[in-house]
Coordinates of all heavy atoms in Angstrom, one line a residue:
M1 N 7.7 41.1 -13.0 CA 9.0 41.4 -12.9 C 9.1 42.9 -12.7 O 8.2 43.7 -13.0 CB 9.8 41.2 -14.2 CG 9.8 39.7 -14.6 SD 10.7 38.7 -13.6 CE 12.3 38.8 -14.3
Y2 N 10.3 43.3 -12.1 CA 10.5 44.7 -11.8 C 11.8 45.2 -12.5 O 12.6 44.4 -12.8 CB 10.8 45.0 -10.3 CG 9.5 44.6 -9.5 CD1 9.4 43.3 -8.9 CD2 8.6 45.6 -9.2 CE1 8.3 43.0 -8.2 CE2 7.5 45.3 -8.4 CZ 7.3 44.0 -8.0 OH 6.2 43.7 -7.2
A3 N 11.8 46.5 -12.8 CA 12.9 47.1 -13.5 C 13.1 48.5 -13.0 O 12.2 49.1 -12.4 CB 12.8 47.1 -15.0
I4 N 14.3 49.1 -13.2 CA 14.5 50.4 -12.8 C 14.4 51.3 -14.1 O 15.0 51.0 -15.1 CB 16.0 50.6 -12.1 CG1 16.0 49.7 -10.9 CG2 16.2 52.1 -11.8 CD1 17.4 49.6 -10.3
Q5 N 13.7 52.4 -14.0 CA 13.3 53.2 -15.1 C 13.6 54.7 -14.9 O 13.5 55.2 -13.8 CB 11.8 53.1 -15.4 CG 11.3 53.8 -16.7 CD 9.8 53.6 -16.8 OE1 9.0 54.0 -15.9 NE2 9.4 53.0 -17.9
D6 N 14.1 55.3 -15.9 CA 14.3 56.7 -16.0 C 13.0 57.4 -16.2 O 12.3 57.1 -17.2 CB 15.3 57.2 -17.1 CG 15.6 58.6 -17.2 OD1 14.7 59.4 -17.2 OD2 16.8 58.9 -17.2
K7 N 12.5 58.2 -15.3 CA 11.1 58.8 -15.4 C 10.9 59.6 -16.6 O 9.9 59.6 -17.2 CB 10.8 59.6 -14.2 CG 10.5 58.8 -12.9 CD 10.0 59.8 -11.8 CE 9.7 59.0 -10.5 NZ 9.3 59.9 -9.5
E8 N 11.9 60.4 -17.0 CA 11.8 61.3 -18.2 C 11.8 60.5 -19.5 O 10.9 60.8 -20.3 CB 12.9 62.3 -18.1 CG 12.9 63.3 -19.3 CD 14.1 64.2 -19.3 OE1 14.7 64.4 -18.2 OE2 14.4 64.8 -20.4
T9 N 12.7 59.6 -19.7 CA 12.8 59.0 -21.0 C 12.0 57.7 -21.1 O 11.8 57.2 -22.2 CB 14.3 58.6 -21.3 OG1 14.8 57.7 -20.3 CG2 15.2 59.9 -21.3
K10 N 11.6 57.1 -20.0 CA 10.9 55.9 -19.8 C 11.8 54.7 -20.2 O 11.4 53.6 -20.4 CB 9.6 55.8 -20.7 CG 8.6 56.9 -20.3 CD 8.2 56.8 -18.9 CE 7.1 57.9 -18.6 NZ 7.1 58.3 -17.3
N11 N 13.1 54.9 -20.4 CA 14.0 53.9 -20.7 C 14.4 53.2 -19.4 O 14.3 53.7 -18.3 CB 15.3 54.4 -21.3 CG 15.1 54.9 -22.7 OD1 14.0 54.7 -23.3 ND2 16.0 55.7 -23.2
F12 N 15.0 52.0 -19.5 CA 15.3 51.1 -18.4 C 16.9 51.1 -18.1 O 17.7 51.5 -19.0 CB 14.9 49.7 -18.6 CG 13.4 49.6 -18.9 CD1 12.9 49.5 -20.2 CD2 12.5 49.8 -17.9 CE1 11.5 49.4 -20.5 CE2 11.1 49.8 -18.1 CZ 10.6 49.6 -19.4
L13 N 17.3 50.8 -16.9 CA 18.7 50.7 -16.5 C 19.2 49.3 -16.2 O 18.4 48.4 -16.0 CB 18.9 51.7 -15.3 CG 18.8 53.1 -15.6 CD1 17.4 53.6 -15.8 CD2 19.5 53.9 -14.5
S14 N 20.5 49.2 -16.1 CA 21.1 48.0 -15.6 C 22.0 48.5 -14.4 O 22.1 49.7 -14.2 CB 22.0 47.3 -16.7 OG 23.2 48.1 -16.8
P15 N 22.6 47.6 -13.7 CA 23.5 48.0 -12.6 C 24.7 48.8 -13.1 O 25.4 49.4 -12.3 CB 23.9 46.6 -11.9 CG 22.8 45.7 -12.3 CD 22.3 46.1 -13.6
F16 N 24.9 48.7 -14.4 CA 26.1 49.3 -14.9 C 25.7 50.5 -15.8 O 26.6 51.0 -16.6 CB 26.9 48.3 -15.7 CG 27.2 47.1 -15.0 CD1 26.5 45.9 -15.2 CD2 28.2 47.1 -14.0 CE1 26.8 44.8 -14.5 CE2 28.5 46.0 -13.3 CZ 27.7 44.8 -13.5
S17 N 24.6 51.1 -15.5 CA 24.1 52.3 -16.4 C 25.0 53.5 -16.2 O 25.0 54.4 -17.0 CB 22.7 52.5 -16.1 OG 21.9 51.6 -16.8
F18 N 25.6 53.7 -15.0 CA 26.5 54.8 -14.7 C 27.9 54.3 -14.7 O 28.2 53.5 -13.9 CB 26.1 55.5 -13.4 CG 24.8 56.2 -13.4 CD1 23.6 55.6 -12.9 CD2 24.7 57.6 -13.7 CE1 22.4 56.3 -12.9 CE2 23.5 58.3 -13.7 CZ 22.4 57.6 -13.3
Q19 N 28.7 54.8 -15.6 CA 30.1 54.4 -15.7 C 31.0 55.7 -15.7 O 30.8 56.5 -16.5 CB 30.4 53.6 -17.0 CG 29.6 52.3 -16.9 CD 29.9 51.5 -18.2 OE1 30.8 51.7 -18.9 NE2 29.1 50.5 -18.4
L20 N 31.9 55.7 -14.8 CA 32.8 56.8 -14.7 C 33.9 56.7 -15.7 O 34.6 55.7 -15.8 CB 33.5 56.9 -13.3 CG 34.5 58.0 -13.0 CD1 33.7 59.4 -13.1 CD2 35.1 57.9 -11.6
I21 N 34.0 57.6 -16.6 CA 35.0 57.6 -17.8 C 36.2 58.2 -17.4 O 37.3 57.7 -17.7 CB 34.4 58.2 -19.0 CG1 33.1 57.4 -19.5 CG2 35.4 58.3 -20.1 CD1 32.4 58.1 -20.7
D22 N 36.1 59.4 -16.8 CA 37.3 60.2 -16.4 C 37.2 60.7 -15.0 O 36.3 61.6 -14.7 CB 37.6 61.3 -17.4 CG 38.9 62.1 -17.2 OD1 39.3 62.2 -16.0 OD2 39.4 62.5 -18.3
D23 N 37.9 60.2 -14.1 CA 37.9 60.6 -12.7 C 38.2 62.0 -12.4 O 37.6 62.7 -11.6 CB 38.7 59.6 -11.9 CG 38.4 59.7 -10.3 OD1 37.4 60.2 -10.0 OD2 39.3 59.3 -9.6
I24 N 39.2 62.5 -13.1 CA 39.8 63.9 -12.9 C 38.7 64.9 -13.4 O 38.4 65.8 -12.7 CB 41.1 64.0 -13.6 CG1 42.1 63.1 -13.0 CG2 41.5 65.5 -13.6 CD1 43.5 63.1 -13.7
K25 N 38.1 64.6 -14.6 CA 37.1 65.6 -15.1 C 35.7 65.2 -14.7 O 34.8 66.0 -15.0 CB 37.2 65.5 -16.7 CG 38.5 66.0 -17.3 CD 38.5 65.9 -18.7 CE 39.8 66.3 -19.4 NZ 39.8 66.1 -20.8
N26 N 35.5 64.1 -13.9 CA 34.3 63.7 -13.5 C 33.3 63.5 -14.7 O 32.1 63.9 -14.7 CB 33.6 64.6 -12.4 CG 32.5 63.9 -11.7 OD1 32.5 62.7 -11.5 ND2 31.4 64.7 -11.4
E27 N 33.8 62.8 -15.8 CA 33.0 62.5 -16.9 C 32.3 61.1 -16.8 O 33.0 60.2 -16.5 CB 33.8 62.6 -18.2 CG 34.2 64.0 -18.5 CD 35.1 64.1 -19.8 OE1 35.6 63.0 -20.2 OE2 35.2 65.2 -20.3
W28 N 31.0 61.1 -17.1 CA 30.3 59.8 -16.9 C 29.6 59.4 -18.2 O 29.2 60.3 -19.0 CB 29.2 60.0 -15.8 CG 29.8 60.1 -14.5 CD1 30.3 61.2 -13.9 CD2 29.8 59.1 -13.4 NE1 30.7 61.0 -12.6 CE2 30.4 59.7 -12.3 CE3 29.4 57.8 -13.3 CZ2 30.5 59.0 -11.1 CZ3 29.5 57.1 -12.2 CH2 30.1 57.8 -11.0
L29 N 29.4 58.1 -18.4 CA 28.6 57.6 -19.5 C 27.4 57.1 -18.8 O 27.5 56.2 -17.9 CB 29.3 56.5 -20.2 CG 28.5 55.7 -21.2 CD1 28.1 56.6 -22.3 CD2 29.4 54.5 -21.8
Y30 N 26.2 57.5 -19.3 CA 24.9 57.0 -18.7 C 24.2 56.2 -19.8 O 23.9 56.8 -20.9 CB 24.1 58.3 -18.3 CG 22.7 58.0 -17.9 CD1 22.4 57.2 -16.8 CD2 21.6 58.6 -18.5 CE1 21.1 56.9 -16.4 CE2 20.3 58.3 -18.1 CZ 20.1 57.5 -17.0 OH 18.8 57.3 -16.6
T31 N 24.1 55.0 -19.6 CA 23.5 54.0 -20.6 C 22.1 53.6 -20.1 O 22.0 53.1 -19.0 CB 24.4 52.9 -20.9 OG1 25.7 53.3 -21.1 CG2 23.9 52.0 -22.0
T32 N 21.1 53.7 -21.0 CA 19.8 53.2 -20.7 C 19.4 52.3 -21.9 O 20.0 52.3 -22.9 CB 18.7 54.3 -20.5 OG1 18.7 55.2 -21.7 CG2 19.1 55.1 -19.3
Y33 N 18.2 51.6 -21.7 CA 17.8 50.6 -22.7 C 16.3 50.8 -22.9 O 15.6 51.1 -22.0 CB 18.1 49.2 -22.2 CG 19.6 49.1 -21.8 CD1 20.0 49.3 -20.5 CD2 20.5 48.8 -22.7 CE1 21.3 49.2 -20.1 CE2 21.9 48.8 -22.4 CZ 22.2 48.9 -21.0 OH 23.6 48.9 -20.7
T34 N 15.9 50.6 -24.2 CA 14.5 50.8 -24.6 C 13.7 49.6 -24.6 O 12.5 49.6 -24.8 CB 14.5 51.4 -26.1 OG1 15.1 50.5 -26.9 CG2 15.2 52.7 -26.1
G35 N 14.3 48.4 -24.2 CA 13.6 47.2 -24.2 C 14.3 46.1 -23.5 O 15.0 46.4 -22.5
L36 N 14.2 44.9 -24.0 CA 14.8 43.7 -23.3 C 16.3 43.8 -23.3 O 16.9 43.4 -22.3 CB 14.3 42.5 -24.0 CG 12.8 42.1 -23.9 CD1 12.5 41.0 -24.8 CD2 12.4 41.8 -22.4
L37 N 16.9 44.2 -24.4 CA 18.4 44.2 -24.6 C 19.0 45.1 -23.6 O 18.7 46.4 -23.6 CB 18.7 44.7 -26.0 CG 20.2 44.8 -26.4 CD1 20.8 43.3 -26.4 CD2 20.4 45.5 -27.6
G38 N 19.8 44.6 -22.7 CA 20.6 45.4 -21.7 C 19.9 45.6 -20.4 O 20.5 45.8 -19.4
T39 N 18.6 45.6 -20.4 CA 17.8 45.9 -19.2 C 17.9 44.8 -18.2 O 17.9 43.6 -18.6 CB 16.3 46.1 -19.5 OG1 16.2 47.1 -20.4 CG2 15.5 46.4 -18.3
R40 N 18.1 45.1 -16.9 CA 18.1 44.1 -15.8 C 16.8 44.1 -15.2 O 16.2 45.1 -14.8 CB 19.2 44.5 -14.8 CG 19.3 43.7 -13.6 CD 19.8 42.3 -14.0 NE 19.7 41.3 -12.9 CZ 20.7 41.1 -12.0 NH1 21.9 41.7 -12.1 NH2 20.5 40.3 -11.1
F41 N 16.3 42.8 -15.1 CA 14.9 42.6 -14.5 C 15.1 41.9 -13.1 O 16.1 41.1 -13.0 CB 14.0 41.8 -15.4 CG 13.8 42.5 -16.7 CD1 14.5 42.2 -17.8 CD2 12.8 43.5 -16.8 CE1 14.3 42.8 -19.0 CE2 12.6 44.2 -18.0 CZ 13.3 43.8 -19.1
Y42 N 14.2 42.2 -12.2 CA 14.3 41.7 -10.9 C 13.0 41.0 -10.5 O 11.9 41.5 -10.8 CB 14.5 42.8 -9.8 CG 15.8 43.6 -10.2 CD1 15.7 44.7 -11.0 CD2 17.1 43.2 -9.8 CE1 16.8 45.4 -11.4 CE2 18.2 43.9 -10.2 CZ 18.0 45.0 -10.9 OH 19.2 45.7 -11.4
T43 N 13.0 39.9 -9.9 CA 11.8 39.1 -9.5 C 11.2 39.7 -8.3 O 10.0 39.7 -8.1 CB 12.1 37.6 -9.3 OG1 13.1 37.5 -8.3 CG2 12.5 36.9 -10.6
K44 N 12.0 40.3 -7.4 CA 11.5 41.0 -6.2 C 11.8 42.5 -6.2 O 12.9 42.9 -6.6 CB 12.2 40.3 -5.0 CG 12.0 38.9 -4.8 CD 12.7 38.4 -3.6 CE 12.6 36.9 -3.4 NZ 13.5 36.4 -2.4
R45 N 10.8 43.2 -5.7 CA 11.1 44.7 -5.6 C 12.2 45.0 -4.7 O 12.9 46.0 -4.9 CB 9.7 45.3 -5.1 CG 9.8 46.8 -5.1 CD 8.5 47.4 -4.6 NE 8.5 48.8 -4.7 CZ 8.3 49.6 -5.8 NH1 7.9 49.0 -6.9 NH2 8.4 50.9 -5.8
E46 N 12.4 44.2 -3.7 CA 13.5 44.5 -2.7 C 14.8 44.4 -3.4 O 15.8 45.2 -3.1 CB 13.4 43.5 -1.6 CG 12.2 43.6 -0.7 CD 11.0 43.0 -1.3 OE1 11.1 42.1 -2.1 OE2 9.9 43.3 -0.9
D47 N 15.0 43.5 -4.3 CA 16.3 43.4 -5.1 C 16.5 44.6 -6.0 O 17.6 45.1 -6.1 CB 16.3 42.1 -5.9 CG 16.3 40.8 -5.0 OD1 16.7 40.9 -3.9 OD2 15.9 39.8 -5.6
A48 N 15.4 45.0 -6.6 CA 15.5 46.2 -7.5 C 15.9 47.4 -6.6 O 16.6 48.3 -7.0 CB 14.2 46.4 -8.2
Q49 N 15.3 47.5 -5.4 CA 15.6 48.7 -4.5 C 17.0 48.7 -4.1 O 17.6 49.8 -4.0 CB 14.7 48.6 -3.2 CG 14.8 49.8 -2.3 CD 14.3 51.1 -3.0 OE1 13.1 51.1 -3.5 NE2 15.1 52.1 -3.0
K50 N 17.6 47.6 -3.9 CA 19.1 47.6 -3.5 C 19.9 48.2 -4.7 O 20.8 49.0 -4.4 CB 19.6 46.1 -3.2 CG 19.0 45.6 -2.0 CD 19.4 44.1 -1.8 CE 18.7 43.5 -0.7 NZ 19.1 42.0 -0.6
V51 N 19.6 47.8 -5.9 CA 20.3 48.3 -7.0 C 20.0 49.8 -7.3 O 20.9 50.6 -7.6 CB 20.0 47.5 -8.3 CG1 20.7 48.1 -9.5 CG2 20.5 46.0 -8.1
L52 N 18.7 50.2 -7.1 CA 18.3 51.6 -7.2 C 19.1 52.5 -6.2 O 19.6 53.5 -6.6 CB 16.8 51.7 -7.0 CG 16.3 53.2 -7.1 CD1 16.5 53.8 -8.4 CD2 14.8 53.2 -6.7
N53 N 19.3 52.0 -5.0 CA 20.0 52.8 -4.0 C 21.4 53.0 -4.5 O 22.0 54.1 -4.4 CB 20.1 52.0 -2.7 CG 18.7 52.0 -2.0 OD1 17.8 52.8 -2.4 ND2 18.5 51.1 -1.1
M54 N 22.1 52.0 -5.1 CA 23.5 52.1 -5.6 C 23.5 53.1 -6.8 O 24.3 54.0 -6.9 CB 24.0 50.7 -6.1 CG 25.3 50.8 -6.7 SD 25.8 49.2 -7.6 CE 24.6 49.2 -8.9
L55 N 22.5 53.0 -7.7 CA 22.4 53.8 -8.9 C 22.2 55.3 -8.5 O 22.7 56.2 -9.1 CB 21.3 53.3 -9.8 CG 21.6 52.0 -10.6 CD1 20.4 51.6 -11.4 CD2 22.9 52.2 -11.5
Q56 N 21.3 55.5 -7.5 CA 21.1 56.9 -7.0 C 22.4 57.5 -6.5 O 22.6 58.7 -6.7 CB 20.0 56.9 -5.9 CG 18.6 56.5 -6.3 CD 18.0 57.6 -7.2 OE1 18.6 58.3 -7.9 NE2 16.7 57.6 -7.0
K57 N 23.3 56.8 -5.9 CA 24.6 57.3 -5.4 C 25.4 57.8 -6.7 O 25.9 58.9 -6.7 CB 25.3 56.3 -4.7 CG 26.7 56.6 -4.3 CD 27.4 55.5 -3.5 CE 28.8 55.8 -3.2 NZ 29.7 55.5 -4.3
Y58 N 25.4 56.9 -7.7 CA 26.2 57.3 -8.9 C 25.5 58.4 -9.6 O 26.2 59.3 -10.2 CB 26.3 56.1 -9.8 CG 27.1 54.9 -9.3 CD1 26.8 53.7 -9.4 CD2 28.3 55.2 -8.4 CE1 27.5 52.6 -8.9 CE2 29.0 54.1 -8.0 CZ 28.6 52.9 -8.2 OH 29.4 51.8 -7.6
N59 N 24.2 58.5 -9.6 CA 23.4 59.5 -10.2 C 23.8 60.9 -9.6 O 24.0 61.9 -10.3 CB 21.9 59.3 -10.0 CG 21.0 60.2 -10.8 OD1 21.4 60.8 -11.7 ND2 19.7 60.2 -10.3
R60 N 23.9 61.0 -8.3 CA 24.3 62.2 -7.6 C 25.8 62.6 -8.0 O 26.1 63.7 -8.3 CB 24.2 62.1 -6.1 CG 22.7 62.1 -5.6 CD 22.6 62.2 -4.1 NE 23.2 61.0 -3.5 CZ 22.5 59.9 -3.3 NH1 21.3 59.7 -3.7 NH2 23.1 58.9 -2.7
E61 N 26.7 61.5 -7.9 CA 28.1 61.8 -8.2 C 28.3 62.2 -9.6 O 29.2 63.0 -9.8 CB 28.9 60.5 -7.9 CG 29.0 60.1 -6.5 CD 29.8 58.8 -6.2 OE1 30.3 58.2 -7.2 OE2 29.7 58.3 -5.1
S62 N 27.5 61.8 -10.6 CA 27.7 62.1 -12.0 C 27.2 63.5 -12.2 O 27.5 64.1 -13.3 CB 26.9 61.1 -12.9 OG 25.5 61.3 -12.7
G63 N 26.3 64.1 -11.4 CA 25.7 65.3 -11.7 C 24.6 65.3 -12.7 O 24.1 66.4 -13.1
L64 N 24.2 64.1 -13.1 CA 23.1 64.1 -14.1 C 21.7 64.3 -13.4 O 20.8 64.8 -14.1 CB 23.1 62.7 -14.8 CG 24.2 62.5 -15.8 CD1 24.3 61.0 -16.2 CD2 23.9 63.3 -17.0
H65 N 21.6 63.9 -12.2 CA 20.3 64.1 -11.4 C 19.1 63.6 -12.2 O 18.1 64.3 -12.3 CB 20.2 65.6 -11.0 CG 21.3 66.1 -10.3 ND1 21.6 65.6 -9.0 CD2 22.3 67.0 -10.6 CE1 22.7 66.3 -8.6 NE2 23.1 67.1 -9.5
R66 N 19.2 62.4 -12.7 CA 18.0 61.7 -13.3 C 17.0 61.3 -12.3 O 17.4 60.9 -11.2 CB 18.5 60.5 -14.2 CG 19.6 60.8 -15.1 CD 19.3 61.8 -16.2 NE 18.2 61.4 -17.1 CZ 17.9 62.0 -18.2 NH1 18.5 63.1 -18.5 NH2 16.9 61.6 -18.9
Q67 N 15.8 61.3 -12.6 CA 14.7 60.8 -11.8 C 14.5 59.4 -12.1 O 14.0 59.0 -13.1 CB 13.4 61.6 -12.0 CG 13.5 63.1 -11.6 CD 13.6 63.3 -10.1 OE1 12.9 62.5 -9.4 NE2 14.4 64.2 -9.7
L68 N 14.9 58.5 -11.1 CA 14.8 57.0 -11.3 C 13.7 56.5 -10.5 O 13.4 57.0 -9.4 CB 16.1 56.4 -11.0 CG 17.4 56.9 -11.7 CD1 18.6 56.2 -11.1 CD2 17.2 56.8 -13.2
Q69 N 13.1 55.4 -11.0 CA 12.0 54.7 -10.2 C 12.0 53.2 -10.5 O 12.5 52.8 -11.6 CB 10.6 55.4 -10.7 CG 10.3 55.1 -12.1 CD 9.0 55.8 -12.5 OE1 8.3 56.4 -11.7 NE2 8.6 55.7 -13.8
I70 N 11.4 52.5 -9.6 CA 11.1 51.1 -9.9 C 9.8 50.9 -10.5 O 8.8 51.5 -10.0 CB 11.2 50.3 -8.5 CG1 12.6 50.4 -8.0 CG2 10.9 48.8 -8.8 CD1 12.8 49.9 -6.6
V71 N 9.6 50.1 -11.5 CA 8.3 49.9 -12.1 C 8.1 48.4 -12.3 O 9.1 47.6 -12.4 CB 8.3 50.5 -13.6 CG1 8.3 52.0 -13.5 CG2 9.4 50.0 -14.5
Q72 N 6.9 48.0 -12.2 CA 6.6 46.6 -12.5 C 6.2 46.5 -14.0 O 5.5 47.3 -14.5 CB 5.4 46.2 -11.6 CG 5.1 44.7 -11.6 CD 4.1 44.3 -10.5 OE1 3.5 45.1 -9.9 NE2 4.1 43.0 -10.3
I73 N 6.8 45.4 -14.6 CA 6.7 45.3 -16.0 C 6.4 43.9 -16.5 O 6.9 43.0 -15.9 CB 8.0 45.9 -16.7 CG1 7.9 46.1 -18.2 CG2 9.2 45.1 -16.3 CD1 8.1 47.5 -18.6
D74 N 5.7 43.8 -17.6 CA 5.5 42.5 -18.2 C 6.5 42.4 -19.3 O 6.4 43.1 -20.4 CB 4.1 42.5 -18.8 CG 3.7 41.2 -19.5 OD1 4.6 40.3 -19.5 OD2 2.6 41.0 -20.0
T75 N 7.5 41.6 -19.2 CA 8.6 41.5 -20.2 C 8.1 41.0 -21.5 O 8.7 41.2 -22.5 CB 9.7 40.6 -19.6 OG1 9.2 39.3 -19.3 CG2 10.4 41.2 -18.4
E76 N 7.0 40.3 -21.5 CA 6.4 39.8 -22.8 C 6.0 41.0 -23.7 O 5.8 40.8 -24.9 CB 5.2 38.9 -22.5 CG 5.6 37.6 -21.8 CD 6.5 36.7 -22.5 OE1 6.3 36.5 -23.7 OE2 7.4 36.1 -21.9
Q77 N 5.7 42.1 -23.1 CA 5.2 43.3 -23.8 C 6.3 44.2 -24.4 O 6.0 45.2 -25.1 CB 4.2 44.1 -23.0 CG 3.0 43.3 -22.5 CD 2.2 42.8 -23.6 OE1 1.9 43.5 -24.5 NE2 1.7 41.6 -23.4
L78 N 7.5 43.9 -24.0 CA 8.7 44.8 -24.4 C 9.3 44.3 -25.7 O 9.4 43.2 -26.1 CB 9.8 44.7 -23.3 CG 9.5 45.4 -22.0 CD1 10.6 45.3 -21.1 CD2 9.2 46.9 -22.2
P79 N 9.7 45.3 -26.5 CA 10.5 45.0 -27.8 C 11.9 44.6 -27.4 O 12.4 44.7 -26.3 CB 10.5 46.3 -28.5 CG 10.5 47.4 -27.4 CD 9.6 46.8 -26.3
I80 N 12.6 44.1 -28.4 CA 14.0 43.8 -28.2 C 14.8 45.0 -27.7 O 15.5 45.0 -26.8 CB 14.7 43.2 -29.5 CG1 14.1 41.9 -29.9 CG2 16.2 43.0 -29.3 CD1 14.2 40.8 -28.9
G81 N 14.6 46.1 -28.4 CA 15.1 47.4 -27.9 C 16.5 47.7 -28.3 O 17.1 46.9 -29.1
D82 N 17.1 48.8 -27.7 CA 18.4 49.2 -28.2 C 19.0 50.0 -27.0 O 18.3 50.3 -26.0 CB 18.2 50.2 -29.3 CG 19.5 50.3 -30.2 OD1 20.5 49.7 -29.8 OD2 19.4 51.0 -31.2
S83 N 20.2 50.4 -27.1 CA 20.9 51.1 -26.1 C 20.9 52.6 -26.4 O 21.0 53.0 -27.6 CB 22.4 50.7 -26.0 OG 22.5 49.4 -25.7
V84 N 20.8 53.5 -25.3 CA 20.8 54.9 -25.5 C 21.9 55.4 -24.6 O 21.9 55.1 -23.4 CB 19.5 55.5 -25.1 CG1 19.5 57.0 -25.3 CG2 18.3 55.0 -26.0
Y85 N 22.8 56.3 -25.2 CA 24.0 56.8 -24.4 C 23.8 58.3 -24.2 O 23.5 59.0 -25.1 CB 25.3 56.4 -25.1 CG 25.4 55.0 -25.4 CD1 25.2 54.5 -26.7 CD2 25.9 54.1 -24.4 CE1 25.3 53.1 -27.0 CE2 26.1 52.8 -24.7 CZ 25.8 52.3 -26.0 OH 25.9 51.0 -26.2
I86 N 24.3 58.7 -23.0 CA 24.4 60.2 -22.7 C 25.8 60.3 -22.0 O 26.1 59.6 -21.1 CB 23.3 60.7 -21.7 CG1 21.9 60.5 -22.3 CG2 23.6 62.1 -21.3 CD1 20.8 60.8 -21.4
Y87 N 26.6 61.2 -22.6 CA 27.9 61.5 -22.0 C 27.7 62.8 -21.2 O 27.1 63.8 -21.6 CB 29.0 61.7 -23.1 CG 29.3 60.4 -23.8 CD1 28.6 60.1 -25.0 CD2 30.2 59.6 -23.3 CE1 28.9 58.9 -25.6 CE2 30.5 58.4 -23.9 CZ 29.9 58.1 -25.1 OH 30.2 56.9 -25.7
N88 N 28.3 62.8 -20.0 CA 28.2 64.0 -19.1 C 29.6 64.3 -18.6 O 30.3 63.6 -18.0 CB 27.3 63.8 -17.9 CG 27.3 65.0 -17.1 OD1 27.4 66.1 -17.6 ND2 27.1 64.8 -15.8

């Protein structure tokens, strides 16, 4: 399986990890996940790439400039995990 990962924190993303909270102030909520809970997994790297391209657009718009990557992962090795939030 494949997942999209934040290089710095090693946390995982979902297609909804970047959410615009206030359009006027350009405030964003950036949500990542430490394990299975919330993380979106992809069977094909190509599918993950499509979502990564979308997330990169929101990454630039948010001004967070996180380093995102696609990783191959064994889901059996992941904990249930938790959500991690960053407000920008």
Side-chain angles (χ1 to χ4, degrees):
M1 299 292 274
Y2 296 92
I4 301 169
Q5 184 182 60
D6 183 308
K7 284 184 181 181
E8 181 183 338
T9 65
K10 304 296 186 209
N11 292 344
F12 303 104
L13 285 77
S14 81
F16 307 103
S17 284
F18 289 93
Q19 296 179 14
L20 182 60
I21 297 172
D22 187 326
D23 192 21
I24 295 170
K25 296 179 182 177
N26 196 36
E27 291 180 342
W28 291 77
L29 172 62
Y30 175 59
T31 307
T32 58
Y33 308 94
T34 60
L36 295 171
L37 180 69
T39 301
R40 175 69 188 266
F41 299 98
Y42 306 90
T43 55
K44 298 178 186 174
R45 185 176 183 86
E46 295 79 22
D47 295 335
Q49 186 63 54
K50 290 176 189 176
V51 175
L52 177 62
N53 293 344
M54 177 193 68
L55 290 173
Q56 292 287 34
K57 176 181 176 274
Y58 297 141
N59 189 19
R60 286 187 299 275
E61 289 175 8
S62 71
L64 286 170
H65 304 292
R66 306 301 294 190
Q67 294 291 320
L68 306 178
Q69 64 183 356
I70 297 172
V71 294
Q72 192 167 10
I73 190 120
D74 178 3
T75 57
E76 298 293 321
Q77 302 298 317
L78 290 178
I80 297 295
D82 205 357
S83 302
V84 179
Y85 303 100
I86 296 175
Y87 292 92
N88 181 33

